[in-house]
Amino acid sequence: MKNRYLNPEDIYLPPGYSIEVFAQGLNTPSGLLFTSAGDLLIADTGYITGNPVIYRYVDNEFIVLADGFHVPLLGITEFEDKIYVAHRATVTIIYPNGTRSDIITGLPSYGDYSNSKVAFGPNGKMYFGQGTATNSGVVGIDNLWINQHPFFHDYPGSYIMINGQNFETPNILLPNVEDVTLTGAFSPFSVSNLSFETRKGHIRASGGILRSNPDGSDLELVAWGFRSPSYLKFDEAERLFVANTGYDVRGSRPIANAPDEFQFVTPGLWYGWPDYAAGEPVTASVFTPEGGIQPEFLLVSHPNIPPKPFAMFPPNATIIGFDFNYNTNFGPYGDVYIAEFGSVRPRTILDIDGSYHGVGHRVSRIDMSTGEVNTFAINKSGFPSYLTREGGLNRPSDVVFGPDGAMYVVDMGLNTVETPNVFLPNTGVIWRITRTTERVYHQYPRKHIASNNLS
């Protein structure tokens, strides 16, 4: 069943490139993988069916390879002929004989943001991101998981001291009582803080980058202070980069105008969450919501001055999957092409231009010599296809370069107009972009790549 109008002519690309529909009729695909054996695997989140699935795509048919994972399934990776599946709170190995084993369980992924797809480093270690429970460090009525996990909250990655600020909200855990409650940072809902309370660091930290052996043993924390490290990958120079989304204007501690961040990861550093955005303190006036309250620091002191991002994206871009281009016939050698999923806020007449036009719903290119970001593929209208009903991009979630040198773009599908988080069945698409006019891009010296950002 194919429920989506598709027309590649509705998508703008730079001169010399063409785009086509490679596969369609999926539900909510989150990523794809070209295996060393020559197979193409597609991961489905399970958002629609409640049953995440990994498909093998053969002769235009989707053959189930494995299912029954936790929602959402957010990525698949191959290492030493095994498939590593990242799904909520869990990392699972699928062995060549079809058996499987959960090698990491119990991750703190029951809040707003889950654990990410795994990546393998040059040291043979497995790396992955762990998202935060909340938007900005405080459990509030915007966290829809409170009733299922009333004692859940964020956990820091190092010893911290909190300033004792508390936030007043209706007590939604006692709906029959007309009462309000106070909630502090890094605490369960309705638990207030005293000034100068301390919290110990956790390996399984909220907003952390973790690593382990390929079998899941010897888990350790690499860095923390990210909000939603949704995707990470090593380049050929063995450097680790991560896509991290910025704060929203919501909850007990709303923060405005926070950009998305493409960060180079240095082990041992804190990257700013919940008190900095893109290397700037949230106490700066630019982060004050319109008509709202200026955010204050939650921490008394900070582990370090957070690094500036390698590249930045506008608020609501929601950057996710990315890949490095090493095909000089396709584009500049080593540059990153990244999926911008787009705003996850409910649409209103008032915010349509600010949240949708010029933001997200595209594939962008990061110039790895300068950190400059440019749009590569976007609908000609500038809006997602679910709003305009044109036949182009809607929710790009991953970008992968295939063995044929083409770029494959995973489009999660059409969402409803009323809410950006409810998807329509059979509207997921895989797009294929190729270069039609041959051009060779010169490789630049790796030592010159954005040295100002990697110092």
Side-chain angles (χ1 to χ4, degrees):
M1 183 177 181
K2 299 168 184 176
N3 293 341
R4 178 175 173 181
Y5 168 65
L6 297 168
N7 183 5
E9 294 296 321
D10 289 339
I11 300 172
Y12 167 81
L13 290 167
Y17 293 90
S18 66
I19 187 168
E20 61 183 335
V21 176
F22 177 76
Q24 60 181 305
L26 293 153
N27 281 325
T28 50
S30 57
L32 57 81
L33 171 67
F34 291 94
T35 71
S36 58
D39 291 329
L40 172 57
L41 306 183
I42 300 173
D44 182 273
T45 63
Y47 283 141
I48 292 176
T49 64
N51 178 31
V53 178
I54 300 173
Y55 296 103
R56 180 183 287 114
Y57 188 61
V58 181
D59 297 329
N60 297 319
E61 296 290 336
F62 302 111
I63 300 170
V64 175
L65 175 69
D67 63 357
F69 301 98
H70 304 307
V71 179
L73 193 165
L74 293 171
I76 49 178
T77 308
E78 183 183 30
F79 184 70
E80 295 182 342
D81 298 325
K82 296 183 284 289
I83 304 301
Y84 286 74
V85 185
H87 49 123
R88 185 176 295 277
T90 309
V91 178
T92 299
I93 292 178
I94 301 177
Y95 297 96
N97 64 4
T99 62
R100 65 197 203 190
S101 173
D102 295 341
I103 60 168
I104 294 179
T105 60
L107 294 169
S109 297
Y110 298 101
D112 287 359
Y113 304 104
S114 188
N115 47 303
S116 78
K117 174 182 175 178
V118 307
F120 286 88
N123 55 5
K125 294 278 189 176
M126 180 177 73
Y127 291 72
F128 60 93
Q130 173 57 57
T132 59
T134 64
N135 176 44
S136 60
V138 181
V139 181
I141 60 175
D142 61 312
N143 301 123
L144 304 181
W145 44 264
I146 291 179
N147 287 324
Q148 288 74 35
H149 307 283
F151 302 108
F152 193 61
H153 58 90
D154 287 301
Y155 299 89
S158 62
Y159 172 91
I160 61 170
M161 182 178 291
I162 50 183
N163 65 16
Q165 184 181 9
N166 294 298
F167 299 82
E168 183 179 290
T169 62
N171 192 344
I172 59 175
L173 293 181
L174 298 173
N176 296 322
V177 177
E178 294 183 5
D179 197 5
V180 296
T181 190
L182 296 175
T183 303
F186 293 94
S187 294
F189 183 72
S190 196
V191 175
S192 59
N193 292 343
L194 299 174
S195 296
F196 308 112
E197 282 190 28
T198 60
R199 299 286 187 272
K200 68 178 182 178
H202 293 256
I203 292 176
R204 301 176 181 224
S206 304
I209 303 294
L210 295 92
R211 70 183 172 200
S212 72
N213 293 326
D215 63 359
S217 63
D218 295 332
L219 187 67
E220 58 184 331
L221 183 66
V222 176
W224 76 287
F226 301 94
R227 178 175 171 272
S228 178
S230 57
Y231 200 99
L232 65 166
K233 194 164 191 173
F234 286 87
D235 70 359
E236 69 172 13
E238 302 181 353
R239 301 172 307 177
L240 179 60
F241 291 88
V242 62
N244 181 49
T245 57
Y247 306 92
D248 295 328
V249 187
R250 64 174 170 90
S252 297
R253 188 173 176 254
I255 297 174
N257 302 314
D260 284 5
E261 306 166 5
F262 185 75
Q263 289 275 16
F264 167 69
V265 179
T266 299
L269 289 187
W270 171 73
Y271 279 77
W273 184 91
D275 281 352
Y276 280 72
E280 299 293 333
V282 298
T283 53
S285 60
V286 67
F287 299 118
T288 304
E290 184 176 355
I293 299 173
Q294 174 68 60
E296 299 179 18
F297 285 152
L298 296 181
L299 308 186
V300 173
S301 60
H302 298 116
N304 55 263
I305 298 174
K308 300 282 188 180
F310 184 91
M312 291 191 296
F313 293 75
N316 296 307
T318 313
I319 55 175
I320 310 183
F322 62 88
D323 203 359
F324 297 91
N325 171 50
Y326 297 124
N327 174 11
T328 55
N329 290 319
F330 186 91
Y333 190 90
D335 278 2
V336 163
Y337 292 80
I338 188 166
E340 296 188 33
F341 188 78
S343 176
V344 295
R345 293 195 299 151
R347 181 181 72 88
T348 68
I349 298 296
L350 296 177
D351 72 6
I352 184 170
D353 286 340
S355 294
Y356 291 89
H357 188 62
V359 178
H361 309 281
R362 69 189 68 196
V363 175
S364 291
R365 178 176 68 86
I366 303 173
D367 185 328
M368 292 298 284
S369 64
T370 65
E372 181 181 1
V373 178
N374 292 287
T375 295
F376 177 74
I378 187 174
N379 290 343
K380 292 176 179 177
S381 69
F383 290 98
S385 58
Y386 89 94
L387 285 180
T388 63
R389 298 306 178 194
E390 62 190 320
L393 300 169
N394 194 64
R395 292 290 189 181
S397 59
D398 199 6
V399 173
V400 177
F401 283 97
D404 58 354
M407 174 195 293
Y408 292 80
V409 179
V410 180
D411 187 337
M412 196 171 285
L414 296 180
N415 50 281
T416 66
V417 173
E418 294 77 18
T419 173
N421 300 313
V422 175
F423 288 85
L424 303 178
N426 308 305
T427 60
V429 178
I430 308 296
W431 304 89
R432 182 175 181 267
I433 299 176
T434 54
R435 184 158 190 93
T436 54
T437 303
E438 185 170 342
R439 179 180 176 184
V440 176
Y441 292 85
H442 296 293
Q443 179 178 357
Y444 39 74
R446 305 304 287 182
K447 65 181 181 181
H448 292 156
I449 295 178
S451 58
N452 59 318
N453 289 326
L454 299 183
S455 57

